[in-house]
Amino acid sequence: MSTPRTTAVSSLSRRGLLAAGGALGLGAFLTACGGGTSSGGDSGSDSGSWSFKDDRGETAKADRTPKKIVAFTGTAAALHDFGIECAAVFGPTKLKDGKPDPQAGDIDVDKVTVLGNAWGEFNVEKYAALGPELLVTSMFQGKELWYVPDDSKKKILGLAPSVGISVAKTSLTDAIGRHAELAGSLGADLKAKKVTDAKERFEKASETLRKAARDNKGLKVMAASAAADMLYVSDPSVYADLTYFKQLGVEFVMPDKVTGGFFESLSWENAGKYAADLILLDDRTVALQPKDLGSKPTWAGLPAVKAGQITPWLSEPRFSYAGCAPLVERLAEAVAKAKKAN
C-alpha cells in the first residue's frame, strides 16, 4: 500500500482511499465463543461435506472440510488465534526488515507462503499451484473482497470457494464472532483453553474500559490517521472497534463532513477543527507517527498533543479475542490516565 496521493479516487470509496494510504480501520456481546449470526457453517468430517454462509449471503461449499486455506493476512492471523492455520496469505505480512507486519499477529511469517505483501499484489500462478481449497478475506465496503485485485478477481475466485466476512458497520464482538464461527466450521476447538482464556481476557479488558470511561466521563477521544497533507478524522460508527468502544462508554469526536463513508479529510491548516483530549492515532506502517509530525505546527498545537495524550490505534485489528484484548487494555489505560485538555 502506498503513501497518500493527491490524485482523485473514484467516488472516494473506502477501498480507493485505503489503497491510497488514507485513514483506515474499523470497530450485542456474544454469549459464547463462536456465537454470532445464524448464518454460520456446517462442517462435516474430512470425508463429509462442508459449507459456510458468508456475509455476502453466499454459501461456500466443498466435498470435505477445507485444509489448504488461503487468507488475507489479518484474517489468517485471527483464524490462527482460534486454532486454524492457513497455507498462504496475501496482504501486509512482512516489514522491510523482514519482521512480521502487525497485521500478521502470531503467524510465523517465515513459514507461510506469501502471495503478495502490498496492495495490488497477488500471485495468481503461485495461488493456483497451491491447489487452494478455500479463500477467506475481510469486507470493508459492500461485497468487495479485501486485497483481492479487481483485475484478477475473476480468475482467483474461479480456483476455490471463497468467504467474505464483514468488518465494518458492525461491532467488534460480532466481527470476532463471525471469525470464530468460520474457524469452528473448519475444525477449530472453540473450547480450547487458549481460546477461552483469550475471551476471558478480552471481557475483563472490556469491563476495565467501561469503568475508565465512566470514571472519566466527558473525555473526548478522536480517532485519526496522519498523512503528509491530511489528517483523517474517523467516524466511529463505521469502525468495528470504535463502535464497540463507544458501546462501552467512550465519547468520540464525531466528524461532521465525512466523505466516502468513513472519515473526514482535514488539511493540516484545519487540523484543530475538533477539540479532543485524547488522540487514537493510526499506527499502521503506511501512516505517519508522532515522530514524523514535528514539522506540522498545527499538530504540535493540538491540546491532546501538548498534553502528551496520544495512544496508538491499530486501525485494522485482527478479529479474535487474542488479537483485540491487548488493544482494549491499551485504550482502557489511556482513558484512565488522560486529563481533559480543552
Side-chain angles (χ1 to χ4, degrees):
M1 202 181 293
S2 61
T3 53
R5 58 177 182 242
T6 56
T7 53
V9 179
S10 176
S11 76
L12 283 177
S13 71
R14 184 174 193 278
R15 180 167 182 154
L17 283 167
L18 268 54
L24 336 177
L26 311 171
F29 283 89
L30 298 179
T31 57
C33 283
T37 68
S38 60
S39 57
D42 296 317
S43 66
S45 65
D46 286 350
S47 60
S49 62
W50 172 89
S51 68
F52 186 88
K53 187 175 181 181
D54 76 356
D55 294 337
R56 295 172 296 181
E58 298 180 11
T59 300
K61 297 179 180 179
D63 292 338
R64 61 190 178 94
T65 303
K67 297 297 181 187
K68 200 165 286 186
I69 304 161
V70 176
F72 169 66
T73 303
T75 307
L79 291 175
H80 169 88
D81 292 339
F82 287 115
I84 297 297
E85 301 301 332
C86 293
V89 297
F90 54 94
T93 307
K94 290 184 179 182
L95 302 176
K96 289 181 180 179
D97 60 6
K99 293 180 180 178
D101 186 279
Q103 291 193 67
D106 294 331
I107 293 173
D108 188 335
V109 298
D110 293 321
K111 290 184 178 179
V112 69
T113 298
V114 181
L115 301 176
N117 197 54
W119 184 266
E121 292 181 3
F122 194 114
N123 191 320
V124 182
E125 290 71 24
K126 189 183 287 188
Y127 176 62
L130 284 169
E133 297 175 332
L134 180 67
L135 181 140
V136 190
T137 189
S138 299
M139 296 189 304
F140 288 90
Q141 190 167 34
K143 297 181 179 181
E144 293 180 351
L145 297 178
W146 192 230
Y147 267 76
V148 176
D150 285 335
D151 57 359
S152 54
K153 179 171 66 176
K154 187 174 181 180
K155 187 172 183 180
I156 292 168
L157 297 183
L159 292 168
S162 61
V163 165
I165 299 179
S166 292
V167 294
K169 296 183 179 179
T170 185
S171 179
L172 189 60
T173 45
D174 290 335
I176 292 172
R178 286 296 276 154
H179 285 79
E181 278 184 74
L182 176 60
S185 82
L186 293 169
D189 179 6
L190 299 179
K191 293 181 180 179
K193 190 174 187 301
K194 175 184 176 183
V195 178
T196 58
D197 282 355
K199 184 172 187 285
E200 185 178 340
R201 179 182 173 185
F202 174 84
E203 292 176 340
K204 182 179 178 182
S206 298
E207 288 308 310
T208 302
L209 177 55
R210 189 194 299 276
K211 182 179 184 301
R214 184 173 62 243
D215 292 348
N216 215 343
K217 194 168 181 60
L219 188 81
K220 285 291 184 180
V221 180
M222 181 170 72
S225 182
D229 53 353
M230 291 284 180
L231 180 68
Y232 300 95
V233 179
S234 297
D235 179 353
S237 66
V238 179
Y239 299 78
D241 56 345
L242 303 184
T243 295
Y244 183 59
F245 301 154
K246 190 177 177 183
Q247 290 170 350
L248 294 176
V250 177
E251 297 179 41
F252 281 99
V253 165
M254 298 291 291
D256 57 24
K257 290 186 178 179
V258 174
T259 54
F262 288 83
F263 43 78
E264 179 174 354
S265 306
L266 297 177
S267 66
W268 280 108
E269 289 78 8
N270 296 311
K273 178 178 178 179
Y274 298 107
D277 305 302
L278 173 66
I279 297 175
L280 262 178
L281 189 68
D282 184 356
D283 69 348
R284 290 169 308 116
T285 53
V286 297
L288 298 183
Q289 301 307 305
K291 63 181 176 57
D292 307 313
L293 296 170
S295 63
K296 308 286 187 187
T298 49
W299 168 259
L302 294 177
V305 176
K306 285 182 177 179
Q309 295 179 168
I310 307 165
T311 192
W313 174 36
L314 184 59
S315 64
E316 286 187 63
R318 71 184 198 264
F319 294 97
S320 67
Y321 297 113
C324 291
L327 308 183
V328 182
E329 289 169 348
R330 184 167 66 186
L331 180 58
E333 183 178 4
V335 169
K337 288 182 178 179
K339 307 292 182 185
K340 291 181 182 177
N342 288 276

